[in-house]
């Protein structure tokens, strides 16, 4: 929120005055998070809603809370890995990224992708293996 040359961010209903850089970075990260959540939702990936932790009912026992925390840790790790994968995918050239999205996200067959782009199925398969190896290197480096 901007008001008369001042910049604010809102956290838990409280407005904080911040610099323009912090304001822009905060809302850019928020937009990126929403975009990735929508993208993951469209691909049937589960997203963890951390704000739900605050709404836990008071009457729950410690065992249930401990198992919930373990499940939340797993979900956080999954979410971080998905975000990391999205970052690594952005490092690929567009043609390689398109192939990966078609095969793994849109579930297009190698044969139909090959026909659509004018390659052979074996050529698409080789490219896919090469790109996956490249992605693996990116994932290990970052």
């Amino acid at each position: 929120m901007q008001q008369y040359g001042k910049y604010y961010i809102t956290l838990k209903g409280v407005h904080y005055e911040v610099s323009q850089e912090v304001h822009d970075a905060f809302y850019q990260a928020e937009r990126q998070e929403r975009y990735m959540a929508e993208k993951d939702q469209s691909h049937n990936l589960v997203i963890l809603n951390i704000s739900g932790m605050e709404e836990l009912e008071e009457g729950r026992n410690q065992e249930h809370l401990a198992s919930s925390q373990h499940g939340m840790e797993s979900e956080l790790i999954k979410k971080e890995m998905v975000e990391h994968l999205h970052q690594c995918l952005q490092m690929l050239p567009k043609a390689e990224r398109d192939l990966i999205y078609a095969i793994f996200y849109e579930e297009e067959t190698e044969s139909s992708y090959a026909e659509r782009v004018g390659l052979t199925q074996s050529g698409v398969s080789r490219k896919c293996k090469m790109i996956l190896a490249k992605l693996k290197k990116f994932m290990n480096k970052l």
Side-chain angles (χ1 to χ4, degrees):
M1 168 177 23
Q2 181 184 3
Q3 197 173 52
Y4 308 109
K6 294 181 181 181
Y7 294 87
Y8 297 88
I9 60 174
T10 305
L11 299 170
K12 295 185 180 181
V14 179
H15 300 298
Y16 296 95
E17 185 175 349
V18 295
S19 68
Q20 180 180 1
E21 293 80 20
V22 171
H23 174 271
D24 293 347
F26 178 83
Y27 285 104
Q28 181 180 12
E30 191 176 76
R31 280 191 306 272
Q32 177 68 21
E33 188 174 324
R34 276 195 320 265
Y35 168 77
M36 288 175 63
E38 289 170 2
K39 188 179 224 179
D40 291 342
Q41 186 178 20
S42 71
H43 297 295
N44 296 323
L45 297 175
V46 176
I47 302 299
L48 174 65
N49 182 358
I50 295 174
S51 65
M53 290 175 56
E54 297 171 354
E55 299 169 5
L56 287 175
E57 296 174 15
E58 288 186 15
R60 294 186 182 180
N61 61 29
Q62 291 295 336
E63 294 167 11
H64 182 72
L65 185 58
S67 68
S68 294
Q69 287 175 340
H70 178 70
M72 287 189 278
E73 287 174 9
S74 297
E75 291 300 318
L76 281 172
I77 290 169
K78 283 182 192 177
K79 184 178 180 190
E80 285 181 15
M81 292 195 69
V82 168
E83 288 175 6
H84 186 60
L85 176 61
H86 285 293
Q87 290 172 347
C88 292
L89 284 168
Q90 293 305 311
M91 296 168 62
L92 294 172
K94 183 173 177 3
E96 293 178 355
R97 199 170 47 241
D98 289 347
L99 187 147
I100 293 298
Y101 279 116
I103 301 295
F104 292 99
Y105 287 93
E106 297 168 3
E107 298 179 3
E108 186 172 355
T109 65
E110 289 180 354
S111 299
S112 66
Y113 182 82
E115 187 176 313
R116 184 165 54 91
V117 297
L119 296 172
T120 63
Q121 182 274 327
S122 60
V124 169
S125 180
R126 278 192 306 275
K127 279 186 175 215
C128 193
K129 287 177 186 175
M130 177 197 68
I131 296 167
L132 291 175
K134 187 188 288 190
L135 271 175
K136 184 177 179 180
K137 286 180 186 177
F138 289 165
M139 294 284 288
N140 290 331
K141 285 183 182 178
L142 292 179

